[in-house]
Amino acid sequence: MNFFIKKLLIVIPTLYIAWTVVFVTLNIIPGDPVNLMLGGRPASDEVRENVRKNLGLDKPVFERYTSFLINATKGDLGKSYLTRQPVTTMIKENMMPTIELSIGGLIFGVFFGVFFGIFAGTKPNSMRDTFSMIIALCGISLPSFWIGMMLIYIFGTTLGWVPIVGEGFVSLILPSITVGLFFAGGMARLTRSSLVDVLNQDYIRTARSKGISKYRIVLRHSLRNAMIPPVTLLGIQFGLLITGAVITEEVFARPGLGQLLLQAILAKDIPLVQALVVYMTAVYIFLNLIVDFTYGIIDPRIRLERNRG
Amino acid sequence: MVEILNVSNLSTAFQSDYGSKQALKNISFKINEGEVLALVGESGSGKTVTSLSIMGLLPNNAYIQEGNINLIDKKNNQVNILKLTDEKHNLIRGNDISMVFQEPMTCLNPTMTIGDQIVEVILNHKKISKTKAFKEMIELLGLVEIPDPTQRAREYPHQLSGGMRQRVMISIALACTPKLIIADEPTSALDVTIQAQLLQLLMKLKNSIVSKTSILFITHDLGIVRELADRVIVMYQGEIVEEGKVKDVFDNPKHSYTRNLIQSLPEFKLEERKLTKKDDNKQTKVDDNEIILKIENLFKEFPVEKGFFKESNETVKAVQNISLNVKKNEVLGLVGESGSGKSTLGKSIIKLLQPSRGKIYFNNENISEYSNKQMIKIRQKMQMIFQDPFASLNPRKNILDTLIEPILVHDLMKKNEAINYIKEIINDVGLPIESLRRFPHEFSGGQRQRIGIARALVLKPEFIVADEPVSALDVSIQAQVLNLLEKLKKTYNLTMIFISHDLSVIEFFCDKVAVMYLGHVVEIAPVSKLFNSPKHSYTRALLSAVPKVKGKDKEKILIKGDIPSPINPPSGCVFRTRCPNPGIDCKGGNIEMGLIEVEPGHWVDQCCANCN
């Protein structure tokens, strides 16, 4: 457990650095949030001054920085400049759609990624290997707005199998495939190369010398040993997804954290951006922790090292 | 005699981008029930390809051109293995024929417990329940003398030592009482003491529970053949060049290759050398007065990594309180099992590792506290030859660049001069001048080691540490490289520390030997004294563990178990936990380590010196 406590302690400095970077960049880049709030309408100096005061922007930069940090430690991440709502509420509202989409993408991606990875890796340099890898390459390289629109066109408009907009599970299918394809491509390639590597190991030859069937060799002896690189990728990609898949959300007109972040940055809504960064950093660290934990399940050698530590 | 396996006219080839290469050329042989047949030859001779052909485990780019392999299986049916589908072959693999592989470190699945890996083969071939298979597995672990089988069965391979893992491999091979066990260099990766334990175990099993099982024993070690096998087949470049009863082949080798193979063994070389000893003395004269290297109470300890925040207070005690001196033109051998600290000592002496405590005098200059900057000048005089010639050469530099770099770094010569000088050296190590333009991967193992030697020589050092310089090479190449080193030692007036785990190489090459065990030197003596009248029990066990081609079989002194952890070595005499005849005092660990002189020049650790 020691190991995980150490990992958790790293959250604090990481968050601090992330906040500071966001704060500094948003204050350096040109553009006045007051202007944006007024929506470009002309206003008297008095009105502008009022808005500025309301937002707390009349205070010196350093004071804003410290007061933000102090409030943050109390759990108050501030109010959005734009909507005057507490940012935590805004994030909560947008979080669920994003999580749904991420999990949908994850399931689709892992299933097809691992499947094609095994399909290709068990017979390298064959026709089926080339075929699988071409599909994987498509998954990685085709832009998701194109995939999204094609899916809508084919399955939504032409065939009419799934609704394009709406609520619930069915409406999740097409967006999940869209984000999942990218996922699956990476997973397939990594699973394949890792599996090819493992199948050349001495212990696979030992297993074959025992007269074990090739299915058992792949499933029981190889897959687990080959899973470390794909799991690492999984952590990174899932992190990307859960912080919002902006383009996919846009194409399918779904609410989500990606959309929220985009709007917040454009409006120079500093509290909202900061809060989103806090959320994303925390999610990343948490996912990394899960990935690290999974390593231990996969490989007993890593488990042992930790127990010693 | 019942014949169980008959290989006839077998030819196997490898397909590559450059065309196909014949690995086996029309070989035929047979194995009788219950016999031990040895297959010897150097790397590339086709031994392993033969075994993999029988097992049907050839890599994808290999194919069998022609031939038959007929096996009498357990039901007394004759089957031609080469005609079987993979599914049918699976019924035979692990059941009628099983295999023990060379690399104990990598041939077990790291993510499965060893118990599961043994149970797997049992369930695969026998129709019995899981609980029954589990029971059989525990029995098997007991048979291969693994202590505490129920506990061990739950452990993973990385928790076991190399010797223990190889025992697990043997139990997997035994699990279905096969007709034939193929053992492919099963002990080559292990220390001699562990090798002796395993060979003894194998023979014990062979003579008891699996007396009808035949063994095809593949090895490059003629000593093992002599000790174990009934018959021997000698292979050379994919062909069988000689076959016969072990005694006949060894006493009266017919083929010139066999004769060369036997004669290139260091034990035979040694005899030649003894015959020519007189001229030898003229040429190498150890100067008794001039001590070139003196080590006093040297320690090297590595902290055990514990993690990100905490420094651990445990240390690996790699070198413990060692004092030595090396005279001019002398070759001091360092010998011991892996983990005894030989390499660490060698590296500490030339300060590739900073010693933890102690003093090193080189030409009466205390270099132990020298900084890296100060060492640069000294390094000219002290060089190292490494074990793995390939890994220690930069693959992206041609040989000239590799060799010229140190000369230019030390600013010894102008570039033109240096090139001429390097040509001389490359000639001295027996390589053609053209090799200078080539890259490391274009050379064979023996040639690479010659380059490694040339690299050590370019700065004209006085003193060289050679760390296992020949252990990665085949016997005949080994002999060539040793002869070269012997010659260069004279022409370049070298003083050397020669590290090796191979006692016969040490005996051939060194003047004085220090035997190391768990970081301590337990015995130092001139080479003839050490080999003829060893005083320490560890030295005795080590000497007796080496399989010899010549001489009568003596009762082996086996030492039990594995080398203890250098993190928590036993108190007092570190060898007491494995000592075959410990005294009452040393059992309790009451005797401190320390060398005493029993004869002039012959020093032994006091614990054993008192016991015997």
Side-chain angles (χ1 to χ4, degrees):
Chain A
M1 251 5 247
N2 210 342
F3 173 81
F4 291 101
I5 291 167
K6 276 184 211 159
K7 284 256 171 181
L8 276 175
L9 284 176
I10 296 173
V11 173
I12 297 165
T14 317
L15 282 181
Y16 172 70
I17 292 167
W19 281 338
T20 309
V21 169
V22 169
F23 188 85
V24 169
T25 23
L26 286 180
N27 274 292
I28 289 173
I29 52 170
D32 187 346
V34 177
N35 274 342
L36 292 162
M37 272 204 71
L38 292 168
R41 276 165 293 159
S44 65
D45 282 354
E46 208 179 321
V47 175
R48 299 177 68 89
E49 213 39 56
N50 256 335
V51 174
R52 198 175 294 277
K53 215 173 224 163
N54 253 331
L55 299 180
L57 284 168
D58 55 338
K59 290 174 194 147
V61 174
F62 188 72
E63 205 186 310
R64 271 187 281 147
Y65 174 66
T66 44
S67 72
F68 171 73
L69 283 184
I70 291 165
N71 287 336
T73 52
K74 294 177 196 153
D76 174 16
L77 293 173
K79 282 182 183 157
S80 161
Y81 288 171
L82 211 56
T83 62
R84 310 303 292 149
Q85 276 183 306
V87 287
T88 35
T89 324
M90 292 174 75
I91 291 178
K92 265 184 211 152
E93 279 168 8
N94 283 284
M95 202 154 74
M96 263 335 272
T98 296
I99 290 179
E100 281 169 11
L101 179 62
S102 308
I103 291 176
L106 181 81
I107 293 171
F108 180 84
V110 169
F111 181 77
F112 282 95
V114 173
F115 175 79
F116 278 112
I118 295 176
F119 191 60
T122 43
K123 213 167 179 200
N125 303 323
S126 63
M127 279 294 285
R128 72 187 206 203
D129 181 19
T130 318
F131 167 75
S132 311
M133 285 305 105
I134 288 173
I135 291 187
L137 196 66
C138 293
I140 294 173
S141 48
L142 291 178
S144 49
F145 71 86
W146 187 83
I147 293 180
M149 288 195 292
M150 286 314 280
L151 289 173
I152 292 174
Y153 177 69
I154 298 171
F155 297 102
T157 320
T158 314
L159 296 171
W161 288 357
V162 269
I164 306 165
V165 282
E167 301 257 309
F169 175 72
V170 197
S171 70
L172 202 61
I173 295 177
L174 292 186
S176 295
I177 295 177
T178 311
V179 291
L181 265 181
F182 178 73
F183 230 121
M187 280 294 281
R189 288 164 65 94
L190 216 56
T191 307
R192 176 203 177 263
S193 65
S194 180
L195 192 64
V196 168
D197 222 43
V198 167
L199 285 172
N200 279 321
Q201 296 291 318
D202 288 334
Y203 54 82
I204 297 301
R205 196 183 49 187
T206 307
R208 291 182 64 200
S209 84
K210 294 190 207 166
I212 294 164
S213 72
K214 51 187 174 202
Y215 303 104
R216 194 177 157 86
I217 284 179
V218 171
L219 296 177
R220 184 87 172 87
H221 286 265
S222 316
L223 212 49
R224 194 166 161 190
N225 282 297
M227 271 343 258
I228 295 257
V231 163
T232 312
L233 181 75
L234 203 76
I236 297 168
Q237 288 193 331
F238 193 66
L240 278 177
L241 276 188
I242 212 152
T243 53
V246 186
I247 294 169
T248 311
E249 283 166 6
E250 188 77 46
V251 170
F252 289 93
R254 289 174 60 87
L257 291 173
Q259 294 274 9
L260 195 63
L261 180 65
L262 194 67
Q263 286 160 13
I265 292 173
L266 290 175
K268 283 198 80 175
D269 196 341
I270 299 178
L272 186 53
V273 177
Q274 271 171 329
L276 280 165
V277 167
V278 171
Y279 162 79
M280 291 173 183
T281 317
V283 166
Y284 253 103
I285 293 171
F286 178 67
L287 282 175
N288 260 313
L289 220 76
I290 293 181
V291 167
D292 274 324
F293 188 69
T294 321
Y295 287 162
I297 297 173
I298 295 173
D299 193 331
R301 287 170 291 187
I302 297 174
R303 221 178 298 160
L304 193 82
E305 253 165 55
R306 281 194 198 141
N307 291 345
R308 246 192 257 135
Chain B
M1 253 186 277
V2 191
E3 185 181 302
I4 60 145
L5 188 85
N6 189 332
V7 177
S8 62
N9 305 320
L10 182 69
S11 294
T12 304
F14 283 92
Q15 189 76 46
S16 73
D17 293 341
Y18 312 105
S20 72
K21 189 179 171 284
Q22 190 102 28
L24 292 181
K25 294 169 192 155
N26 210 8
I27 65 165
S28 302
F29 66 92
K30 57 184 173 44
I31 304 174
N32 296 320
E33 190 175 75
E35 91 173 329
V36 180
L37 175 65
L39 204 56
V40 288
E42 295 185 354
S43 44
S45 62
K47 301 169 301 204
T48 298
V49 180
T50 308
S51 67
L52 294 180
S53 300
I54 298 172
M55 289 299 285
L57 293 179
L58 286 169
N60 287 333
N61 61 337
Y63 61 99
I64 288 170
Q65 294 167 307
E66 57 170 328
N68 290 306
I69 300 174
N70 284 312
L71 170 82
I72 311 289
D73 71 6
K74 282 183 179 169
K75 291 171 200 134
N76 264 329
N77 299 323
Q78 182 174 324
V79 260
N80 186 350
I81 291 177
L82 297 181
K83 297 261 153 51
L84 294 175
T85 59
D86 203 49
E87 283 75 32
K88 283 267 165 59
H89 210 149
N90 271 342
L91 300 177
I92 289 178
R93 280 196 283 256
N95 191 18
D96 294 284
I97 309 178
S98 61
M99 191 152 175
V100 180
F101 294 96
Q102 177 172 7
E103 303 84 5
M105 292 324 203
T106 55
C107 65
L108 291 170
N109 189 336
T111 58
M112 282 170 83
T113 62
I114 61 161
D116 283 347
Q117 299 192 48
I118 301 170
V119 167
E120 186 180 37
V121 70
I122 300 173
L123 287 177
N124 196 41
H125 294 292
K126 292 185 189 173
K127 291 195 171 43
I128 56 174
S129 68
K130 267 192 181 167
T131 27
K132 193 129 184 281
F134 188 83
K135 249 189 205 155
E136 278 191 23
M137 179 267 292
I138 299 288
E139 265 169 44
L140 278 166
L141 286 177
L143 276 177
V144 295
E145 292 166 10
I146 286 180
D148 201 0
T150 22
Q151 168 61 30
R152 290 286 172 173
R154 280 197 295 269
E155 289 181 4
Y156 290 91
H158 66 273
Q159 291 165 287
L160 272 62
S161 68
M164 283 296 160
R165 290 185 215 187
Q166 207 56 310
R167 284 168 196 264
V168 173
M169 270 309 290
I170 292 174
S171 70
I172 289 174
L174 285 175
C176 300
T177 16
K179 302 277 279 188
L180 173 67
I181 296 177
I182 301 175
D184 188 356
E185 304 263 14
T187 58
S188 308
L190 303 170
D191 280 313
V192 267
T193 51
I194 308 295
Q195 168 173 294
Q197 291 173 5
L198 272 176
L199 293 179
Q200 203 211 30
L201 170 74
L202 209 58
M203 285 339 275
K204 195 172 129 196
L205 293 170
K206 173 80 198 62
N207 295 329
S208 55
I209 58 156
V210 285
S211 59
K212 278 193 170 169
T213 300
S214 319
I215 299 179
L216 178 62
F217 201 99
I218 297 171
T219 180
H220 66 280
D221 188 333
L222 295 172
I224 296 181
V225 175
R226 157 78 211 274
E227 282 186 5
L228 290 188
D230 304 315
R231 272 193 316 134
V232 59
I233 288 175
V234 183
M235 287 192 77
Y236 179 64
Q237 296 195 342
E239 284 176 272
I240 293 179
V241 294
E242 189 149 359
E243 182 176 357
K245 288 236 167 69
V246 169
K247 198 172 176 312
D248 300 344
V249 172
F250 276 54
D251 292 348
N252 192 8
K254 301 226 166 41
H255 195 276
S256 60
Y257 175 72
T258 319
R259 274 201 294 279
N260 280 335
L261 196 64
I262 294 175
Q263 246 130 47
S264 59
L265 288 173
E267 17 177 332
F268 285 89
K269 285 273 164 198
L270 200 66
E271 274 178 24
E272 274 172 44
R273 183 169 146 170
K274 274 174 193 153
L275 293 176
T276 54
K277 194 101 198 186
K278 276 175 195 161
D279 341 329
D280 243 34
N281 280 344
K282 252 187 270 163
Q283 280 164 350
T284 42
K285 206 160 193 187
V286 173
D287 194 329
D288 263 339
N289 301 317
E290 203 175 336
I291 289 175
I292 204 167
L293 179 85
K294 186 173 171 150
I295 302 166
E296 278 177 3
N297 308 95
L298 197 74
F299 285 83
K300 175 70 194 171
E301 287 159 2
F302 299 96
V304 178
E305 296 254 341
K306 250 195 149 175
F308 200 66
F309 290 103
K310 219 171 18 180
E311 263 286 306
S312 131
N313 39 17
E314 285 188 325
T315 53
V316 175
K317 295 161 186 70
V319 168
Q320 292 289 296
N321 200 6
I322 286 182
S323 304
L324 285 173
N325 46 50
V326 187
K327 291 166 188 156
K328 193 159 174 56
N329 292 336
E330 187 174 47
V331 180
L332 170 71
L334 286 183
V335 73
E337 284 169 284
S338 46
S340 62
K342 328 182 275 289
S343 285
T344 309
L345 177 61
K347 284 181 189 150
S348 305
I349 288 171
I350 63 168
K351 299 239 312 175
L352 286 178
L353 291 172
Q354 175 62 35
S356 309
R357 269 166 287 158
K359 294 196 175 85
I360 303 167
Y361 295 94
F362 182 66
N363 284 331
N364 293 322
E365 193 177 344
N366 184 356
I367 61 165
S368 48
E369 295 298 328
Y370 274 18
S371 65
N372 278 337
K373 219 171 169 186
Q374 286 170 303
M375 275 308 289
I376 290 176
K377 266 194 84 182
I378 309 283
R379 288 257 160 78
Q380 269 186 49
K381 303 279 168 219
M382 308 172 102
Q383 283 292 316
M384 187 145 184
I385 299 171
F386 297 94
Q387 169 169 13
D388 186 336
F390 193 47
S392 56
L393 291 169
N394 186 337
R396 301 201 190 282
K397 275 188 174 179
N398 70 24
I399 305 308
L400 179 65
D401 288 344
T402 299
L403 295 182
I404 208 165
E405 189 181 28
I407 303 182
L408 299 180
V409 165
H410 286 278
D411 210 7
L412 295 181
M413 291 176 208
K414 292 223 176 66
K415 199 164 179 185
N416 290 347
E417 259 180 282
I419 291 175
N420 285 330
Y421 170 63
I422 284 170
K423 282 181 183 164
E424 265 174 54
I425 287 191
I426 210 82
N427 188 37
D428 277 350
V429 297
L431 288 174
I433 308 267
E434 302 85 70
S435 14
L436 289 175
R437 290 272 158 232
R438 292 174 22 206
F439 288 87
H441 69 267
E442 298 176 63
F443 296 91
S444 69
Q447 287 172 325
R448 277 182 209 139
Q449 197 53 288
R450 285 169 194 263
I451 296 165
I453 293 169
R455 190 201 50 78
L457 287 175
V458 285
L459 291 174
K460 301 189 183 161
E462 295 171 31
F463 173 74
I464 286 183
V465 174
D467 189 357
E468 304 262 13
V470 295
S471 52
L473 308 171
D474 275 325
V475 191
S476 60
I477 310 291
Q478 214 174 57
Q480 289 167 13
V481 173
L482 282 177
N483 284 337
L484 173 73
L485 276 175
E486 180 94 351
K487 194 186 93 194
L488 293 173
K489 191 179 85 190
K490 286 163 201 157
T491 41
Y492 287 79
N493 239 337
L494 294 172
T495 307
M496 289 178 84
I497 284 188
F498 189 95
I499 301 170
S500 180
H501 67 280
D502 187 334
L503 286 158
S504 50
V505 169
I506 291 271
E507 189 178 13
F508 171 67
F509 195 73
C510 301
D511 303 304
K512 197 164 83 178
V513 191
V515 181
M516 284 189 74
Y517 183 78
L518 217 56
H520 292 264
V521 167
V522 294
E523 184 161 6
I524 305 181
V527 95
S528 56
K529 281 236 176 75
L530 189 99
F531 279 82
N532 294 328
S533 56
K535 293 276 185 288
H536 199 278
S537 347
Y538 179 61
T539 315
R540 287 187 191 157
L542 211 54
L543 286 173
S544 107
V546 182
K548 290 258 179 195
V549 175
K550 294 196 78 188
K552 271 183 198 148
D553 280 343
K554 275 184 230 155
E555 185 66 27
K556 293 228 159 179
I557 308 168
L558 278 186
I559 41 181
K560 290 159 280 177
D562 289 313
I563 193 164
S565 156
I567 297 172
N568 297 309
S571 62
C573 172
V574 284
F575 185 57
R576 69 186 165 86
T577 50
R578 293 170 85 198
C579 194
N581 49 344
I584 298 158
D585 277 347
C586 49
K587 255 187 182 159
N590 295 326
I591 301 178
E592 285 299 308
M593 298 288 289
L595 294 176
I596 52 170
E597 195 166 20
V598 285
E599 276 175 283
H602 192 159
W603 297 72
V604 186
D605 186 71
Q606 53 193 5
C607 178
C608 259
N610 293 336
C611 271
N612 303 306

